[in-house]
Structures are given as structure tokens and as C-alpha cells.
């Protein structure tokens, strides 16, 4: 039964019969999807110490309790309204924001919301086997926290579809549960969400780089003239921050452990013999997940992006930091493939909005990599990790038909095929990672050999806290 007790919310669910009816139909399908496609092996007999958002104020979204995963209270929250909020960019700059969907932008908005919504269950599906290979109980809890919150982000998009898009919205909400990550016939919409996440290096890189695309896209959607979309995405950003924390600190702990192993062995290069993860492998996974996540920003030159901006549907990250919010005259210079070589070309900035957002994203990733590099400095080691060039390993956009090395030097197809596993994970790298993750670590306070413990526990609990309890 749908009720405000089982579904924490601040959208007036108890008095909204239409939404209640739509959810009554959708929620059982969601739970079935969660059981079938969510964390495998942890649905029935485990209780997980997770945060549940029960309201949008600071104490309300940091409410911790033990729950069985299928009984998690997925809620619906909008950030507080901004008094007299005005459209901040595009052709309708300065007009009051919309509380309803304008008919002429219905399809575009639905498409944006569906694309955003599709990524959320996709990531849960991608990560569903990881619990069986976890490096510690602390990490297992973090995985499930990320998973339930991605589930909540799906609810957030489904709320918008149910409330503002009538019949079409209800159909789309069902489709969100029908597509499946990696499924040949019914794949998820965006490519990175069809990639397997089979080991914990994939997982931490995904939460570092792909969740950070979530951050850049949510920042740009939170500028939207459709106020409910803006408010929903603003609240989602608070949860996204924790997901990136999991990724960034997860990799930092792996680097820390690798440094310790290297030092212990007198800097012998072969960390693998000691059961750790060598730096070249870490670099390959950065190369993979960074390039896949660059693709998620779409084509460099995009009329879709120009239309979204002009119509006020999707802005730039932190739009208030820009001077010109009309962007009718501004140009953007970018590198394009020309007559056998790369040349610089100036294009109208509106058509370059995907690239503008990608710039923001690359800067945010770069800062994260620099934080990792501080670990080497602390250990007085000269090693450094780096982001590959933007043209490397692209599947979307104008460089997708070409090949480049991580420095951005063009390569022939034959050279790329011959050398790609110097820069991207090879089957042997993956096999090695699976071998060191084959035995999960479920003892409180114990950690797999390839990862250092965190600096502190969750919600001020000790590191050896029983974050996941097994029933009877
Ligand atoms: N894969 O004009 P273009 C997150 C398609 S992550 C496959 O450049 P546009 C999360 C595109 O759909 C954030 N197809 O497209 C993270 C279009 O298709 P059609 C998710 C792609 O629309 C971790 C065609 O190529 N949020 O939240 O400017 C865990 C032409 O492209 C891809 C959003 O994405 C791709 N990578 O840009 C959990 C926000 N890229 O029309 C969650 C909403 C492009 O030819 N989405 N295409 O059939 C958008 O804003 C835009 O759809 C995109 C694409 C930025 C993704």
C-alpha cells in the first residue's frame, strides 16, 4: 500500500491521488526489478547500515538505520523552492520558471528525463555481482548505499514522469525497468551504462568518473526552467557527492596500499607478486572510465544541446558564474579533424554546450587525480597518475572514428589494435583482478590485501563496525 510512511516525501503524496495511483501500479514492478536485477545474494538475509533520506534538511537526509535492502524506504524529495526563481539562461532569460511542462517542450524534456532516469537502474544492474567479491564490510555497505540511492534517483525521475507527462510518462516509467544494462535487444540508452562492472577497480573508477558525469549533468539540469526538474536534481546532487567520495577514496586506498607494498618490497616493480594492484593497471582503468564518461557528454557539436540551451531546458554547470546567459553571439573554439590533421575551428557556443560542460567535467576530474597524486608525494615517490587526452578511446563525437594514444597522438587502426592494451585493461589484467577478489572479505574490520582501510568509518562508527548484519 502506498503511504507517506512507507514513501518518505515532501511532494504532498498523501493528498495526491493521481500520483498514488501511478505509484501503486509502478512500485511492485520496481521491487520485482530490484530483487531480480539489484544486489545478488544480499536481498533476503542481510541487514545493511544505510542512510535513508527522510527529509531534505541536514538531519533528515543523514538518517542511518539497518534495513533489508528490498525494504529500503525509497523516497521522493525536491530541494526547497527558491522564492521568485527566474529563468537563468537562453531565449526566455528573466521570465518566471515553469511549474508545468510547456506543450512545445514536452518531448525534449521527456527525453532528457528519460535519459537521466535510465542511467540510475542501469548502474545498479552493472554493479549487482560486486557484493560477492567485496574487499571489506565497510566497502560492501558503501556499495549498497550507492545502489539504493541510484534506486532513489530513479524514483525521482519517475516522479517527474508520473506527475507531468500523463500516459506517456507512465509508459516511459515502465520502460525504465524493462531495458537492461548490456542486453543486446534492450540495452540501456547511453553506452557507458552497458559496460560490465565486474571488479572493484571498475566500481571505484565508475563512481569516481561516471558518477562525476552524473554531477555535471545534474548541475546543468538543476539550472532548468522546469522548476520541479531543477529542484529534484538539486537534491540528487547531495547524494551524488557521497558516490564520488566512495570512488575517490576507494582508489586512494588502493594507491595507498600499492605504495605500502612497493615500499615494503624495496620498490621492486612487481606489486602483483605481493597481491596488490600495480600502478600501470590503475592507470589503464583511469583511461577506460574517463574516456567512457567523456562520451556521456554527447557530441562536441550538437544541435540538440543548442536547442536545450536556447529553450532553457538544460543550462551550463554553475550558470551564474558566466557573464553572458543569452549566448547568441559567443563563439567557442575547438579542435576538429580536418584534411588529415587537426585544426582549430570557431563555432557558435550554443552548439558547443556539450563541450562546455565537458570542459567543466575534465577540470573536476583533474582536481581529483591531483589529490591522488599527493599520496605519491607523501610517500616520496616520483610516480604520477594522469588523465588521458580527450581524444583517446572515444566512442561518441568527432574523434570516435579515429585512434589516438593517451597523449593525443594519432595512430593508425593497425597500431591501435596492436597497442591498445598498453593503455586499456587487457583480458589478463581483468583475470588478475578477479583472482585477487575471488574471496570476499566479510569480517568486520578486515580488508583485502590490495586496499588500505579508510581513515574513518561511516557516520562516526568505528572501522570495524558491523556495517552488514547477517540474519539468523
Ligand atoms: N551513448 O546531439 P548529441 C548519471 C546519442 S550520468 C549513446 O550529442 P545530446 C549517473 C544522443 O542520445 C548522467 N548515445 O546528443 C552516473 C543522440 O541520439 P539520437 C546522465 C549517445 O542529446 C552514474 C545522438 O547521440 N544524465 O546520472 O546533445 C551512476 C546525438 O548526440 C551518447 C544525462 O545524460 C552516449 N554516450 O547529448 C548513475 C542527462 N551520447 O537523438 C547515474 C540527460 C550521445 O540521434 N541527457 N548519444 O537518437 C542529456 O543531456 C543528453 O542526452 C546527452 C547527449 C548529454 C547524454
Amino acid at each position: 500500500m502506498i503511504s507517506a510512511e512507507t514513501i518518505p516525501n515532501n511532494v504532498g503524496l498523501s493528498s495526491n491521488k493521481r500520483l498514488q495511483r501511478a505509484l501503486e501500479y509502478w512500485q511492485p514492478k520496481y521491487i520485482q526489478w530490484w530483487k531480480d536485477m539489484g544486489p545478488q545474494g544480499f536481498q533476503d538475509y542481510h541487514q545493511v547500515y544505510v542512510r535513508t533520506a527522510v527529509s531534505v534538511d541536514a538531519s533528515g537526509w543523514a538518517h542511518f538505520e539497518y534495513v533489508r535492502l528490498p525494504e529500503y524506504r525509497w523516497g521522493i524529495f525536491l530541494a526547497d523552492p527558491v522564492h521568485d526563481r527566474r529563468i537563468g539562461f537562453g531565449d526566455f532569460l528573466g521570465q518566471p520558471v515553469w511549474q508545468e511542462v510547456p506543450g512545445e517542450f514536452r518531448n525534449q524534456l521527456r527525453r532528457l528525463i528519460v535519459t537521466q532516469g535510465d542511467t540510475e537502474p542501469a548502474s545498479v544492474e552493472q554493479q549487482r555481482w560486486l557484493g560477492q567479491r567485496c574487499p571489506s564490510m565497510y566497502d560492501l555497505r558503501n556499495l549498497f548505499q550507492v545502489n539504493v540511492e541510484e534506486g532513489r534517483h530513479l524514483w525521482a525521475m519517475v516522479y517527474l514522469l508520473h506527475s507531468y507527462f500523463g500516459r506517456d510518462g507512465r509508459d516511459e516509467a515502465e520502460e525504465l525497468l524493462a531495458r537492461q544494462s548490456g542486453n543486446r535487444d534492450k540495452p540501456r540508452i547511453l553506452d557507458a551504462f552497458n559496460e560490465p562492472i565486474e571488479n572493484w577497480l571498475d566500481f571505484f573508477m565508475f563512481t569516481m568518473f561516471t558518477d562525476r558525469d552524473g554531477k555535471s549533468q545534474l548541475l546543468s539540469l538543476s539550472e532548468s526552467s522546469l522548476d520541479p526538474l531543477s529542484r529534484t536534481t538539486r537534491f540528487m546532487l547531495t547524494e551524488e557527492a557521497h558516490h564520488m567520495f566512495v570512488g575517490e577514496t576507494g582508489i586512494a586506498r588502493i594507491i595507498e596500499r600499492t605504495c605500502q607494498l612497493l615500499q615494503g618490497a624495496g620498490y621492486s616493480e612487481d606489486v602483483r607478486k605481493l597481491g596488490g594492484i600495480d600502478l600501470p593497471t590503475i592507470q589503464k582503468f583511469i583511461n577506460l572510465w574517463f574516456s567512457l564518461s567523456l562520451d556521456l557528454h554527447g557530441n562536441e557539436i550538437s544541435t540538440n544541446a543548442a536547442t536545450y540551451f536556447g529553450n532553457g531546458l538544460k543550462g551550463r554547470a554553475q550558470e551564474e558564474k558566466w557573464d553572458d546567459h543569452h549566448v547568441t553571439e559567443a563563439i567557442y573554439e575547438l579542435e576538429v579533424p580536418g584534411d588529415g590533421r587537426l585544426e582549430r575551428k570557431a563555432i557558435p557556443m550554443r552548439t558547443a554546450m556539450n563541450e562546455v560542460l565537458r570542459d567543466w567535467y575534465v577540470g573536476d576530474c583533474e582536481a581529483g587525480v591531483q589529490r591522488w597524486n599527493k599520496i605519491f608525494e607523501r610517500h616520496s615517490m616520483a610516480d604520477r597518475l594522469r588523465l588521458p587526452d580527450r581524444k583517446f578511446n572515444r566512442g561518441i563525437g568527432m574523434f570516435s572514428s579515429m585512434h589516438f594514444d593517451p597523449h593525443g597522438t594519432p595512430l593508425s587502426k593497425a597500431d591501435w589494435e596492436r597497442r591498445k592494451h598498453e593503455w586499456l585493461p587487457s583480458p589478463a589484467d581483468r583475470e588478475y583482478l578477479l583472482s585477487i577478489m575471488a574471496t570476499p572479505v566479510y569480517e568486520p574490520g578486515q580488508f583485502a590485501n590490495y586496499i588500505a582501510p579508510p581513515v574513518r568509518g561511516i557516520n562516526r562508527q568505528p572501522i570495524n563496525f558491523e556495517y552488514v548484519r547477517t540474519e539468523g
Side-chain angles (χ1 to χ4, degrees):
M1 192 62 196
I2 296 293
S3 78
E5 280 87 67
T6 51
I7 302 178
N9 73 90
N10 67 354
V11 296
L13 179 61
S14 55
S15 55
N16 185 339
K17 291 276 172 281
R18 201 163 58 120
L19 181 58
Q20 280 177 23
R21 267 200 306 276
L23 281 177
E24 253 154 38
Y25 185 71
W26 185 81
Q27 192 219 29
K29 295 187 181 211
Y30 169 81
I31 297 293
Q32 195 55 53
W33 165 83
W34 174 269
K35 287 183 177 166
D36 294 343
M37 299 304 292
Q40 298 296 298
F42 293 90
Q43 301 273 353
D44 298 324
Y45 305 110
H46 294 82
Q47 296 204 3
V48 187
Y49 184 70
V50 281
R51 177 176 74 180
T52 306
V54 292
S55 71
V56 291
D57 55 44
S59 63
W61 76 272
H63 170 90
F64 284 82
E65 59 191 349
Y66 277 104
V67 292
R68 286 171 65 226
L69 290 176
E71 288 162 15
Y72 185 77
R73 288 183 297 151
W74 284 282
I76 306 173
F77 291 103
L78 306 183
D80 289 335
V82 173
H83 175 67
D84 192 29
R85 184 171 168 251
R86 303 266 152 176
I87 295 175
F89 61 94
D91 297 341
F92 307 107
L93 182 71
Q95 295 182 14
V97 291
W98 314 318
Q99 299 305 330
E100 291 294 332
V101 175
E104 64 271 40
F105 304 138
R106 191 182 161 90
N107 286 346
Q108 289 169 25
L109 279 164
R110 191 183 63 203
R111 189 190 159 94
L112 281 170
I113 291 166
V114 165
T115 308
Q116 176 65 49
D118 191 70
T119 63
E120 317 291 0
S123 68
V124 175
E125 293 167 356
Q126 285 171 293
Q127 297 163 14
R128 70 186 189 278
W129 294 104
L130 289 176
Q132 322 257 352
R133 300 177 184 139
C134 71
S136 74
M137 194 174 257
Y138 164 88
D139 291 292
L140 187 64
R141 181 222 93 92
N142 283 351
L143 167 71
F144 296 151
Q145 182 73 59
V146 169
N147 291 162
V148 291
E149 287 177 350
E150 299 301 9
R152 206 201 68 73
H153 289 183
L154 169 63
W155 276 70
M157 293 301 114
V158 165
Y159 160 72
L160 294 174
L161 291 169
H162 280 170
S163 301
Y164 298 94
F165 294 89
R167 176 75 204 258
D168 295 354
R170 291 196 294 278
D171 290 347
E172 293 283 13
E174 277 199 54
E175 285 296 303
L176 286 170
L177 299 175
R179 284 184 289 270
Q180 269 179 22
S181 176
N183 185 303
R184 241 199 0 216
D185 302 324
K186 260 187 165 282
R188 291 296 175 182
I189 296 171
L190 299 175
D191 293 342
F193 293 91
N194 290 305
E195 292 289 319
I197 298 183
E198 55 183 17
N199 67 64
W200 281 73
L201 195 52
D202 278 322
F203 172 67
F204 290 135
M205 291 297 179
F206 180 93
T207 38
M208 171 73 178
F209 291 112
T210 309
D211 275 276
R212 198 170 300 273
D213 169 55
K215 178 180 172 187
S216 58
Q217 300 295 341
L218 291 174
L219 277 172
S220 68
L221 291 174
S222 69
E223 301 291 339
S224 182
S225 312
L226 180 62
D227 205 40
L229 174 59
S230 162
R231 291 174 59 198
T232 307
T233 46
R234 248 190 301 141
F235 185 65
M236 289 161 75
L237 278 162
T238 54
E239 290 155 326
E240 205 69 85
H242 177 68
H243 305 178
M244 288 179 297
F245 161 86
V246 168
E248 183 171 331
T249 56
I251 297 295
R253 289 161 50 216
I254 289 177
I255 297 171
E256 174 65 33
R257 182 64 183 145
T258 300
C259 291
Q260 291 169 2
L261 289 170
L262 275 169
Q263 273 169 338
Y267 296 100
S268 119
E269 275 299 294
D270 206 352
V271 181
R272 287 196 184 186
K273 283 212 175 106
L274 307 167
I277 304 182
D278 51 300
L279 297 178
T281 300
I282 296 176
Q283 181 64 58
K284 286 183 191 182
F285 277 78
I286 293 178
N287 295 347
L288 175 66
W289 285 104
F290 176 68
S291 55
L292 285 170
S293 307
L294 285 178
D295 281 345
L296 289 174
H297 291 75
N299 285 276
E300 289 83 358
I301 303 175
S302 163
T303 48
N304 282 350
T307 312
Y308 293 152
F309 187 87
N311 293 341
L313 311 183
K314 184 181 174 195
R316 290 166 289 189
Q318 297 157 327
E319 184 63 45
E320 77 284 357
K321 292 196 174 155
W322 295 80
D323 294 329
D324 169 14
H325 301 292
H326 274 297
V327 198
T328 42
E329 309 292 323
I331 55 153
Y332 184 92
E333 246 195 53
L334 77 175
E335 212 177 15
V336 297
D339 235 355
R341 60 195 178 83
L342 298 171
E343 49 196 48
R344 295 205 70 79
K345 186 176 169 194
I347 60 164
M349 193 186 248
R350 278 195 181 187
T351 58
M353 284 304 172
N354 286 341
E355 195 62 8
V356 171
L357 193 57
R358 194 160 18 234
D359 287 339
W360 182 91
Y361 172 79
V362 172
D364 212 46
C365 290
E366 184 60 43
V369 173
Q370 290 319 322
R371 288 191 291 275
W372 287 339
N373 281 336
K374 292 246 175 339
I375 304 170
F376 298 114
E377 284 174 31
R378 236 184 14 251
H379 285 272
S380 306
M381 287 169 59
D383 303 82
R384 295 292 180 266
L385 295 165
R386 56 187 62 82
L387 296 177
D389 186 90
R390 284 183 195 209
K391 299 186 284 302
F392 173 78
N393 191 40
R394 293 297 301 280
I396 295 281
M398 57 195 175
F399 300 113
S400 58
S401 55
M402 304 167 72
H403 299 292
F404 298 88
D405 73 9
H407 300 289
T409 311
L411 295 173
S412 68
K413 185 166 173 20
D415 279 347
W416 168 257
E417 286 303 329
R418 195 164 47 79
R419 300 188 59 192
K420 67 181 177 198
H421 287 136
E422 286 176 33
W423 309 305
L424 291 172
S426 66
D429 295 328
R430 292 196 167 278
E431 219 170 283
Y432 172 69
L433 291 174
L434 286 181
S435 76
I436 58 171
M437 296 177 192
T439 311
V441 180
Y442 295 138
E443 276 299 299
Q446 300 289 307
F447 290 82
N449 178 48
Y450 62 84
I451 191 164
V455 178
R456 60 185 71 85
I458 292 293
N459 192 30
R460 292 186 293 278
Q461 298 293 357
I463 290 169
N464 63 2
F465 184 70
E466 193 175 18
Y467 289 104
V468 180
R469 285 199 304 225
T470 310
E471 288 171 4

